[in-house]
Amino acid sequence: MMIIMKVGATKDQINAVMSSVENLGLKAHPILGDEHTVIGVVGEVQSLPPDQFVRMPGVERSLPISKPYKLASLELHPKSTTVTAGPMQVGGEGIAVIAGPCSVESRDQLLETAQAVHAAGAHALRGGAFKPRTSPYTFQGMGEEGLEILAEAREITGLPIVTEVMEPDLVELVASYADVLQLGTRNMQNYALLRAAGESGKPVLLKRGMSASLKEFLLAAEYVLSTGNQNVILCERGIRTFETATRNTTDINAVPVLKAQTHLPVIVDPSHSTGDWNYVAAVSRAAIAAGADGLILEVHPNPLEAMSDGGQSLKPKRFVELMRQLDAIAKAVDRSMAPAPERVAVPAV
Amino acid sequence: MMIIMKVGATKDQINAVMSSVENLGLKAHPILGDEHTVIGVVGEVQSLPPDQFVRMPGVERSLPISKPYKLASLELHPKSTTVTAGPMQVGGEGIAVIAGPCSVESRDQLLETAQAVHAAGAHALRGGAFKPRTSPYTFQGMGEEGLEILAEAREITGLPIVTEVMEPDLVELVASYADVLQLGTRNMQNYALLRAAGESGKPVLLKRGMSASLKEFLLAAEYVLSTGNQNVILCERGIRTFETATRNTTDINAVPVLKAQTHLPVIVDPSHSTGDWNYVAAVSRAAIAAGADGLILEVHPNPLEAMSDGGQSLKPKRFVELMRQLDAIAKAVDRSMAPAPERVAVPAV
Amino acid sequence: MMIIMKVGATKDQINAVMSSVENLGLKAHPILGDEHTVIGVVGEVQSLPPDQFVRMPGVERSLPISKPYKLASLELHPKSTTVTAGPMQVGGEGIAVIAGPCSVESRDQLLETAQAVHAAGAHALRGGAFKPRTSPYTFQGMGEEGLEILAEAREITGLPIVTEVMEPDLVELVASYADVLQLGTRNMQNYALLRAAGESGKPVLLKRGMSASLKEFLLAAEYVLSTGNQNVILCERGIRTFETATRNTTDINAVPVLKAQTHLPVIVDPSHSTGDWNYVAAVSRAAIAAGADGLILEVHPNPLEAMSDGGQSLKPKRFVELMRQLDAIAKAVDRSMAPAPERVAVPAV
Amino acid sequence: MMIIMKVGATKDQINAVMSSVENLGLKAHPILGDEHTVIGVVGEVQSLPPDQFVRMPGVERSLPISKPYKLASLELHPKSTTVTAGPMQVGGEGIAVIAGPCSVESRDQLLETAQAVHAAGAHALRGGAFKPRTSPYTFQGMGEEGLEILAEAREITGLPIVTEVMEPDLVELVASYADVLQLGTRNMQNYALLRAAGESGKPVLLKRGMSASLKEFLLAAEYVLSTGNQNVILCERGIRTFETATRNTTDINAVPVLKAQTHLPVIVDPSHSTGDWNYVAAVSRAAIAAGADGLILEVHPNPLEAMSDGGQSLKPKRFVELMRQLDAIAKAVDRSMAPAPERVAVPAV
């Protein structure tokens, strides 16, 4: 931590700050600049309030130097983490694609989608059974019945299941069906949920809060990691900016920045980060070109009749075409699509 | 809802959209513009997905017309709501001020603060027993012991208690001590929590999400209102923008906009919306001048030693001075400070 | 400047950075932290590129310590500046109000408005003759004819004239009519214009860029000040955020922050910062309550027929009412409305 | 345009709005909804103020339907534009790369860079002779001497020159040296400059304002196009958001959105959109994968000693490696790198 004294801070003020630092068992190193004196604080500052010292007379502000996350840090854990969920691996050499509808709407809809994305080479099936909705008046999901349908789809296709859990009390139930627990953008700082999901032992797909800085995102991951669960997949899903031409702004910079700061795998969700199926293929390609380890995509057999997010869902036919494009991009960055999960015999639905 | 057709949409495409509208039991009113045809949709569209119709051939986009919240709407409920919590009223003619430390840190700290803010004319006591912290490594609050201390402070001062609840499972516990349940900025879209807090029957102080639009804020309130609990206080606490000179940007526009759109009382939290005690008095005055019904403020007897948010807490002496300023501003806008809760005999601590 | 070395930077890397600092005639003060070594740089760093040193091996990042603006700084110039333009003073004890239409549309419209705002106690007349418009297809202003009408209004009312100049080549012309040169939000970093306006010697009303940080705003003022022209009025006019309920977000925090950082007067433009006349009075009151030295407001005798910004203009009758409210707020913050310019005999128009 | 009446607007209010519409020679089509009446306005509304009608009693708000730009619109001009500048084509099948230093600092520095980027296959040389700098105290460019050096580099390498012009009065001078006039992010709404650059007849590389919406960006292009100059290249260079891990946020969504809305070529500037050379390659690949027509990149032979933007400049060796990667990405999206300009004999410098 660096403490910046005001221009004109007195010797007594500087000494008082230094004493206060040393009384906490830390060391104070003053630097006398032409305008400002700066006091470097050395020692274990991580559990101090970030604004410790700023109220002392003569102090202008203080600056943290160390990164506040430790378990998520690439500096301290330089080996990449690969998260395994059933036959899917995220974070290794292969690119993983998680696909499926926004919501589980019916058995027919889900099984049709599951088989289509399976046939196209997807590595996991997504689908929401419990849905966070901005308005209390819109469809809130099928609940446990949706989870049962997802499990059936897994049996048929072999695809592991990624589905959202919205409250700590439902973690046990959702974890009993799902292969990966998805934590949504609105819950990135729902600490009880982060802990409960971590403690379930299941891999966690953590979506970035729509206005969370990357530092806050890594601190949210730190909550999960601090439960001893190392299987966290980070997902950039677009941030909120002034631009309204798209639902969110895909922060493509986040991909190389996260890869430089953390050992955790990083995927992108172009369906939500654009909010418009017309732009999903372009941004999916961009994500892989930028170094993402995978994608999570909304696919719906009949977007016209989707109960949520129809506007941003790909039809299966376009998804097949996108998978072909992604294969070419993966090769261009010296990677490849992960091998598809072993195809099980698919009985007629 | 208005459906905007693309320039050059064909007659068949327009007819198909109109049929689709009418098949849902709604009425379609086409307007042929020079460039675009627009189809007005009349009927109950509230439970339709917002992107219904946008996938149909020839459709460019659709626009909602009706406001998505109903119970929170001033248009539909033109009488102002006054929320009562013990001796405090928020939303009436009087201005209410909720004050106290960010966190309950000890019995001494809290009782000293409680008596100081009581003496200065505050209307309720705030203090966090369960704290949402960005980092898992910083102080997380005293838990139930903190609630007990808050209850003791209420007994001594008569001030009702405002304290945060962070997870649905703790609503019952927190509600058994608190007069008002505070829902924090990170939980504005924690729907399980919104419902549980609503169902407790206690007044709810709902903070705006740091990147929530006012429409989303009112929809979050709608979740609480839809449980039958009408006692919701809206709190503007600053939004996240590009400006880093302050911790957040106080959206002062939000005050008159909310007052024009909802019957619920609106207060402001200048401690968080600025993040710096130096600016708290100025923004507190601005809030009341703009028409807010009250404030929630951080006050700490010794900010230098606060375990959280010391940098933005007022000392009691400055709080006394601010209350004097607020009284003048309240009169300038033809209001007044609410009468202080009846002072009970205050035993020595 | 502080240079933060990476975790694990080698002794050689640290020494190389220190040598590089010293080769520039600066002093290097290393602090060995538990994770990072930090090198304090003392000396004249202001003309170095901000990213000097960051490319050296082992360097993580660097942080500026001194403020980059000097002439605008309150620290270095602790006496408040009062800007005088004809009979108007901005930045003294009195609150100044500049009012008038967005655009000069006709002689009748302007003279009617001028007399109305004069009668209501305004201190200067605003009106655009050259208009910056987002679209090339909308009204671009009356040009020099508009300036002549403004000058006529000054003759009649005694009000000094505030009007925008958009390009360096027009500074001489506009300065020959205007008492204050307004530089608009889109031109806050138009450096040629900043310099030309500064060199005119006229007072400059500088609007904050809609996405400019306060630091950038003060650096833009520094361009004007560095021409030797000390008469700069800073104007907060709303910033661009994700919120769309209002045209911009009034950054009310900017008022006390600027007053703490600069000696220049600070005013607010609630017409643009809200974009809706319904909210102008509330935000005007808030600005004065927060410590602003004045306001600039759009007033139009017939907003229904305004050629620009009709939606955010006050009618004269509401402006009269607002001036009464502002008087009360000014007193509540121990200030007062500046005395109105001496009323000249007003001939019938 | 659609006019949304308030809930409860009276028949008289609706009729008055309809009369007002028709008095302007437009047609009014009312739709009676359950809550709101909506009045569709058909006819030439483009030159009306956007807030026309909103002040009439009973009106809640109005919504534009037609896009405000015409010449830039893909809908109205469905054929892609290819901009030609010397041997470089932007917007055709080939990908074009413009590379060079942020600033021209010396003859040696520029010629060395020019030959390096030429050898690596770049299609044009960038370099600033006039520099827009946030602070008046930092290096402001070499001026005309810089332009002469750029021209010399063109003679040696055959690369066309892209350089910024900052004020209308310098357009003639800069155009006498440059092949493409660059308009910077701070000048995107400098209308005098947009017009002057357009009138020069030279191709214009227009950078998006750092907080400009895509609609405003296209309207700025419209200013240039409306001078009769069709050679506009749009450049996404990052937008300002709350995220501070990178200098700006690359709006990768902007690439497919712009390609869907305009016929003009679209390029990306990853040096500025990230502000850190570490992330430039990843974002460059992403841009081409998303469908961009080219890139503009900062390359410096010795970034450690750059007078500006050293932190975001690539060394020539890394630029060579990036060009190889881009070639692979271009093929993966069924395009290719544009052929390099014919190599002229390169004399020793």
Side-chain angles (χ1 to χ4, degrees):
Chain A
M1 182 187 284
M2 293 281 146
I3 303 171
I4 320 297
M5 302 299 294
K6 288 182 183 163
V7 172
T10 65
K11 245 190 176 169
D12 282 357
Q13 290 172 336
I14 294 168
N15 287 337
V17 172
M18 289 180 61
S19 299
S20 171
V21 168
E22 285 166 0
N23 288 343
L24 288 164
L26 306 166
K27 284 189 191 141
H29 295 266
I31 298 174
L32 273 71
D34 293 347
E35 293 184 0
H36 297 269
T37 291
V38 175
I39 299 170
V41 179
V42 172
E44 181 50 64
V45 299
Q46 201 181 340
S47 57
L48 291 183
D51 48 9
Q52 183 86 19
F53 308 117
V54 300
R55 292 299 288 267
M56 296 192 71
V59 173
E60 184 178 293
R61 63 202 157 104
S62 69
L63 295 168
I65 299 296
S66 292
K67 298 200 177 65
Y69 45 86
K70 302 297 170 193
L71 302 171
S73 161
L74 183 64
E75 255 172 6
L76 307 179
H77 305 267
K79 196 174 159 304
S80 284
T81 291
T82 300
V83 173
T84 300
M88 173 173 67
Q89 291 202 320
V90 187
E93 186 268 344
I95 302 295
V97 177
I98 303 163
C102 176
S103 307
V104 182
E105 296 168 8
S106 72
R107 184 171 176 275
D108 283 0
Q109 170 248 18
L110 190 77
L111 297 189
E112 182 182 347
T113 312
Q115 291 176 77
V117 302
H118 181 218
H123 305 90
L125 177 67
R126 61 156 291 155
F130 296 93
K131 298 298 305 171
R133 302 305 299 276
T134 305
S135 162
Y137 305 121
T138 50
F139 176 61
Q140 311 268 324
M142 291 182 76
E144 186 166 1
E145 192 186 344
L147 296 175
E148 281 165 9
I149 297 172
L150 286 164
E152 185 181 351
R154 173 176 48 201
E155 231 168 274
I156 294 172
T157 61
L159 293 177
I161 299 302
V162 179
T163 196
E164 179 162 356
V165 57
M166 288 168 58
E167 34 185 316
D169 284 358
L170 291 174
V171 166
E172 193 180 332
L173 174 71
V174 176
S176 72
Y177 289 94
D179 299 283
V180 178
L181 298 180
Q182 178 178 321
L183 302 189
T185 187
R186 293 168 180 80
N187 282 315
M188 194 202 81
Q189 293 187 314
N190 183 333
Y191 302 119
L193 184 61
L194 291 170
R195 287 213 178 88
E199 285 162 5
S200 76
K202 288 276 177 178
V204 171
L205 190 163
L206 179 63
K207 290 199 164 183
R208 181 181 183 183
M210 67 185 86
S211 69
S213 68
L214 293 175
K215 190 169 85 175
E216 290 165 342
F217 190 20
L218 289 169
L219 279 165
E222 193 85 0
Y223 267 92
V224 180
L225 296 170
S226 69
T227 66
N229 184 337
Q230 301 308 305
N231 292 308
V232 178
I233 301 165
L234 300 173
C235 179
E236 161 64 29
R237 50 75 70 208
I239 58 173
R240 179 158 279 189
T241 70
F242 64 83
E243 178 59 67
T244 56
T246 47
R247 184 165 163 186
N248 293 288
T249 297
T250 311
D251 181 3
I252 197 77
N253 294 358
V255 175
V257 173
L258 287 171
K259 297 300 284 183
Q261 297 187 344
T262 184
H263 52 91
L264 298 171
V266 176
I267 68 170
V268 174
D269 173 355
S271 305
H272 285 89
S273 76
T274 65
D276 187 330
W277 72 271
N278 289 287
Y279 309 131
V280 166
V283 173
S284 296
R285 295 190 309 259
I288 302 307
D293 297 304
L295 296 166
I296 181 165
L297 289 165
E298 293 191 347
V299 175
H300 196 288
N302 190 356
L304 262 176
E305 299 187 358
M307 296 172 83
S308 58
D309 283 354
Q312 69 193 35
S313 297
L314 294 179
K315 290 184 194 173
K317 193 175 142 185
R318 289 186 188 276
F319 178 66
V320 169
E321 165 58 15
L322 174 56
M323 290 296 279
R324 194 197 58 72
Q325 297 176 9
L326 294 176
D327 185 61
I329 297 283
K331 284 175 185 142
V333 292
D334 299 325
R335 294 177 79 167
S336 60
M337 301 304 282
E342 200 174 315
R343 316 277 170 122
V344 302
V346 181
V349 180
Chain B
M1 181 186 284
M2 294 281 146
I3 303 170
I4 320 298
M5 302 298 294
K6 288 181 182 163
V7 173
T10 65
K11 247 191 174 166
D12 283 356
Q13 290 172 337
I14 294 167
N15 288 337
V17 172
M18 291 180 60
S19 299
S20 170
V21 167
E22 284 165 0
N23 288 343
L24 289 164
L26 306 165
K27 282 188 193 145
H29 295 266
I31 299 173
L32 273 71
D34 293 348
E35 293 183 0
H36 296 269
T37 291
V38 174
I39 299 169
V41 180
V42 173
E44 181 50 66
V45 299
Q46 200 181 342
S47 58
L48 291 182
D51 48 10
Q52 183 86 19
F53 307 118
V54 300
R55 292 299 289 267
M56 295 192 72
V59 173
E60 185 179 293
R61 63 203 157 101
S62 70
L63 295 168
I65 299 296
S66 292
K67 297 200 178 66
Y69 46 86
K70 301 297 170 194
L71 302 171
S73 161
L74 182 65
E75 254 172 8
L76 308 178
H77 306 267
K79 197 174 158 304
S80 285
T81 291
T82 300
V83 173
T84 301
M88 174 174 67
Q89 290 201 320
V90 187
E93 187 267 343
I95 303 294
V97 176
I98 303 164
C102 176
S103 307
V104 182
E105 297 168 8
S106 71
R107 186 173 175 274
D108 285 359
Q109 169 247 18
L110 190 77
L111 297 190
E112 183 182 347
T113 312
Q115 292 176 76
V117 302
H118 181 218
H123 305 89
L125 176 67
R126 60 156 291 155
F130 297 93
K131 298 297 305 171
R133 302 304 302 276
T134 306
S135 162
Y137 305 122
T138 49
F139 176 61
Q140 311 269 323
M142 291 182 77
E144 187 166 1
E145 192 186 344
L147 297 175
E148 281 164 9
I149 297 172
L150 285 164
E152 186 182 348
R154 174 176 48 202
E155 234 168 274
I156 294 172
T157 60
L159 293 176
I161 299 302
V162 178
T163 196
E164 179 161 356
V165 57
M166 287 167 58
E167 33 186 316
D169 284 357
L170 291 174
V171 165
E172 194 180 331
L173 175 70
V174 176
S176 72
Y177 289 93
D179 299 283
V180 178
L181 298 179
Q182 177 179 320
L183 301 189
T185 187
R186 294 168 179 80
N187 282 316
M188 193 201 81
Q189 294 187 314
N190 183 335
Y191 302 118
L193 184 60
L194 291 169
R195 286 213 178 88
E199 285 162 5
S200 76
K202 288 275 175 179
V204 171
L205 190 162
L206 179 64
K207 290 199 164 184
R208 181 180 182 183
M210 67 186 86
S211 68
S213 68
L214 293 175
K215 190 170 86 174
E216 290 165 344
F217 189 20
L218 289 169
L219 278 165
E222 192 86 0
Y223 267 92
V224 181
L225 296 171
S226 69
T227 66
N229 183 337
Q230 301 309 305
N231 292 308
V232 178
I233 301 165
L234 300 173
C235 179
E236 161 64 30
R237 49 78 66 209
I239 58 173
R240 180 158 277 188
T241 70
F242 63 84
E243 178 58 69
T244 57
T246 47
R247 184 165 162 187
N248 293 288
T249 297
T250 312
D251 182 3
I252 197 77
N253 294 358
V255 175
V257 173
L258 287 171
K259 296 300 283 183
Q261 296 188 344
T262 184
H263 52 91
L264 298 171
V266 176
I267 69 170
V268 175
D269 173 354
S271 305
H272 285 90
S273 77
T274 65
D276 188 332
W277 72 270
N278 289 286
Y279 310 131
V280 166
V283 173
S284 296
R285 295 190 307 260
I288 302 308
D293 297 304
L295 297 166
I296 179 165
L297 289 165
E298 293 191 347
V299 176
H300 196 288
N302 189 356
L304 262 176
E305 299 186 358
M307 296 172 84
S308 58
D309 283 354
Q312 69 194 36
S313 297
L314 294 179
K315 290 184 193 172
K317 195 177 141 183
R318 289 186 187 277
F319 178 66
V320 169
E321 164 59 14
L322 174 56
M323 289 296 280
R324 195 197 57 74
Q325 297 176 11
L326 295 176
D327 185 60
I329 298 283
K331 284 174 185 143
V333 293
D334 298 325
R335 295 177 78 167
S336 60
M337 301 303 284
E342 200 175 316
R343 316 274 170 124
V344 301
V346 180
V349 181
Chain C
M1 182 186 284
M2 294 281 146
I3 303 171
I4 320 297
M5 302 299 294
K6 287 182 184 164
V7 172
T10 64
K11 247 191 174 166
D12 282 358
Q13 290 171 336
I14 294 167
N15 288 337
V17 172
M18 292 181 60
S19 298
S20 170
V21 168
E22 285 166 359
N23 289 342
L24 289 164
L26 306 166
K27 284 190 191 143
H29 295 268
I31 298 174
L32 273 71
D34 293 347
E35 293 182 0
H36 296 270
T37 291
V38 174
I39 299 170
V41 179
V42 172
E44 182 49 66
V45 299
Q46 200 181 344
S47 59
L48 291 183
D51 49 9
Q52 183 87 19
F53 308 118
V54 300
R55 292 300 288 267
M56 295 191 72
V59 173
E60 185 178 292
R61 64 203 157 102
S62 70
L63 295 168
I65 300 296
S66 293
K67 297 201 178 65
Y69 45 87
K70 302 297 170 194
L71 302 171
S73 162
L74 182 65
E75 255 171 8
L76 307 178
H77 306 266
K79 196 175 158 303
S80 284
T81 292
T82 300
V83 174
T84 300
M88 173 173 67
Q89 290 201 320
V90 187
E93 186 268 343
I95 303 294
V97 177
I98 303 163
C102 176
S103 307
V104 182
E105 296 168 8
S106 72
R107 186 173 174 275
D108 284 359
Q109 169 248 18
L110 190 77
L111 297 189
E112 181 182 347
T113 311
Q115 292 176 76
V117 302
H118 181 220
H123 305 89
L125 177 67
R126 60 156 291 156
F130 297 93
K131 298 298 305 171
R133 302 304 301 275
T134 306
S135 162
Y137 304 121
T138 49
F139 176 61
Q140 312 268 323
M142 291 182 78
E144 186 167 1
E145 193 186 344
L147 296 175
E148 282 164 8
I149 296 172
L150 285 164
E152 185 181 350
R154 173 176 48 201
E155 234 168 275
I156 294 172
T157 61
L159 293 176
I161 298 303
V162 179
T163 195
E164 178 160 357
V165 57
M166 287 167 58
E167 35 185 315
D169 284 358
L170 291 174
V171 166
E172 195 181 330
L173 175 70
V174 177
S176 71
Y177 290 94
D179 299 282
V180 178
L181 298 180
Q182 177 179 321
L183 301 189
T185 187
R186 294 168 180 80
N187 282 317
M188 193 201 82
Q189 294 187 313
N190 183 334
Y191 301 118
L193 184 60
L194 291 170
R195 287 212 179 87
E199 285 161 5
S200 76
K202 287 275 177 180
V204 171
L205 190 163
L206 179 62
K207 290 199 164 183
R208 181 181 184 183
M210 68 185 84
S211 69
S213 68
L214 293 175
K215 190 169 86 174
E216 291 164 342
F217 189 20
L218 289 169
L219 278 165
E222 192 85 0
Y223 267 92
V224 181
L225 296 171
S226 69
T227 66
N229 183 336
Q230 302 309 306
N231 293 308
V232 178
I233 302 166
L234 300 173
C235 179
E236 161 64 30
R237 48 77 67 209
I239 58 173
R240 180 158 277 189
T241 70
F242 64 83
E243 179 58 69
T244 56
T246 47
R247 185 164 161 187
N248 293 288
T249 297
T250 311
D251 182 3
I252 197 78
N253 294 357
V255 175
V257 173
L258 287 171
K259 296 300 283 182
Q261 297 189 342
T262 184
H263 53 91
L264 298 171
V266 176
I267 69 171
V268 174
D269 173 354
S271 305
H272 286 89
S273 76
T274 64
D276 188 331
W277 72 270
N278 289 286
Y279 309 132
V280 165
V283 173
S284 296
R285 294 190 309 258
I288 302 308
D293 297 304
L295 296 166
I296 180 165
L297 289 165
E298 293 191 347
V299 176
H300 196 287
N302 189 356
L304 261 176
E305 298 186 358
M307 297 172 83
S308 58
D309 283 353
Q312 68 194 35
S313 297
L314 294 178
K315 291 184 193 171
K317 194 177 141 183
R318 289 186 188 276
F319 178 65
V320 169
E321 164 59 15
L322 174 57
M323 289 296 280
R324 195 198 56 74
Q325 296 176 11
L326 294 176
D327 185 59
I329 298 282
K331 284 174 186 144
V333 293
D334 298 324
R335 295 177 77 167
S336 60
M337 301 304 282
E342 200 174 317
R343 317 276 170 124
V344 302
V346 181
V349 181
Chain D
M1 182 186 284
M2 293 282 145
I3 303 170
I4 320 298
M5 302 299 294
K6 288 182 182 164
V7 173
T10 64
K11 245 191 176 166
D12 281 357
Q13 290 172 336
I14 294 167
N15 288 338
V17 172
M18 291 180 61
S19 299
S20 170
V21 168
E22 284 165 1
N23 288 343
L24 289 164
L26 306 166
K27 284 189 191 144
H29 295 266
I31 299 174
L32 274 70
D34 293 347
E35 293 183 1
H36 297 269
T37 291
V38 174
I39 300 169
V41 179
V42 172
E44 181 50 64
V45 299
Q46 201 181 341
S47 58
L48 290 183
D51 48 9
Q52 183 86 19
F53 306 118
V54 300
R55 291 300 287 267
M56 296 192 72
V59 173
E60 183 178 294
R61 63 203 156 103
S62 69
L63 294 168
I65 299 296
S66 293
K67 299 201 177 64
Y69 45 86
K70 302 297 171 193
L71 301 171
S73 161
L74 183 65
E75 254 172 8
L76 307 178
H77 306 266
K79 197 174 158 302
S80 285
T81 291
T82 300
V83 174
T84 300
M88 175 173 66
Q89 290 202 321
V90 187
E93 186 267 344
I95 303 295
V97 176
I98 303 164
C102 176
S103 306
V104 182
E105 297 167 9
S106 72
R107 185 172 175 273
D108 284 359
Q109 169 246 19
L110 190 77
L111 297 190
E112 183 182 345
T113 311
Q115 292 175 76
V117 302
H118 181 218
H123 305 90
L125 177 67
R126 61 155 290 155
F130 297 93
K131 299 298 305 172
R133 301 305 300 276
T134 306
S135 162
Y137 305 120
T138 50
F139 176 62
Q140 311 268 325
M142 292 183 75
E144 186 165 2
E145 192 186 344
L147 296 175
E148 282 165 8
I149 297 172
L150 285 164
E152 185 182 350
R154 174 176 49 201
E155 232 168 273
I156 294 172
T157 61
L159 293 177
I161 299 302
V162 179
T163 196
E164 179 161 357
V165 58
M166 288 167 58
E167 34 186 315
D169 283 358
L170 291 174
V171 165
E172 194 180 332
L173 174 71
V174 177
S176 72
Y177 289 94
D179 300 283
V180 178
L181 298 179
Q182 177 178 320
L183 301 190
T185 187
R186 293 168 180 79
N187 282 316
M188 193 201 82
Q189 294 186 313
N190 183 334
Y191 302 119
L193 184 60
L194 291 170
R195 286 212 179 87
E199 285 161 4
S200 76
K202 288 275 176 179
V204 171
L205 190 163
L206 179 63
K207 289 199 165 183
R208 181 181 183 183
M210 67 187 85
S211 69
S213 69
L214 294 174
K215 191 170 85 175
E216 289 165 343
F217 190 21
L218 290 168
L219 278 165
E222 193 86 359
Y223 267 92
V224 181
L225 297 170
S226 69
T227 66
N229 184 337
Q230 301 309 303
N231 292 308
V232 178
I233 302 166
L234 300 173
C235 179
E236 161 63 30
R237 50 76 69 207
I239 57 173
R240 180 157 277 189
T241 71
F242 63 83
E243 178 58 68
T244 57
T246 48
R247 184 165 163 186
N248 293 288
T249 297
T250 311
D251 182 3
I252 197 77
N253 294 358
V255 175
V257 173
L258 287 171
K259 297 300 284 184
Q261 296 188 344
T262 183
H263 53 91
L264 298 171
V266 176
I267 69 170
V268 174
D269 173 354
S271 306
H272 285 89
S273 77
T274 65
D276 188 331
W277 72 271
N278 290 287
Y279 309 131
V280 165
V283 173
S284 295
R285 295 191 307 260
I288 302 307
D293 297 305
L295 296 166
I296 180 165
L297 289 164
E298 292 191 347
V299 176
H300 195 288
N302 188 357
L304 262 176
E305 300 186 358
M307 296 173 83
S308 59
D309 282 354
Q312 69 193 35
S313 297
L314 294 178
K315 290 185 193 172
K317 194 176 141 186
R318 289 186 187 276
F319 178 66
V320 169
E321 165 59 15
L322 174 56
M323 290 295 280
R324 194 197 57 73
Q325 296 176 11
L326 294 176
D327 185 60
I329 297 283
K331 284 175 186 142
V333 294
D334 298 325
R335 295 177 77 166
S336 60
M337 301 305 282
E342 200 174 315
R343 318 278 171 121
V344 301
V346 180
V349 182

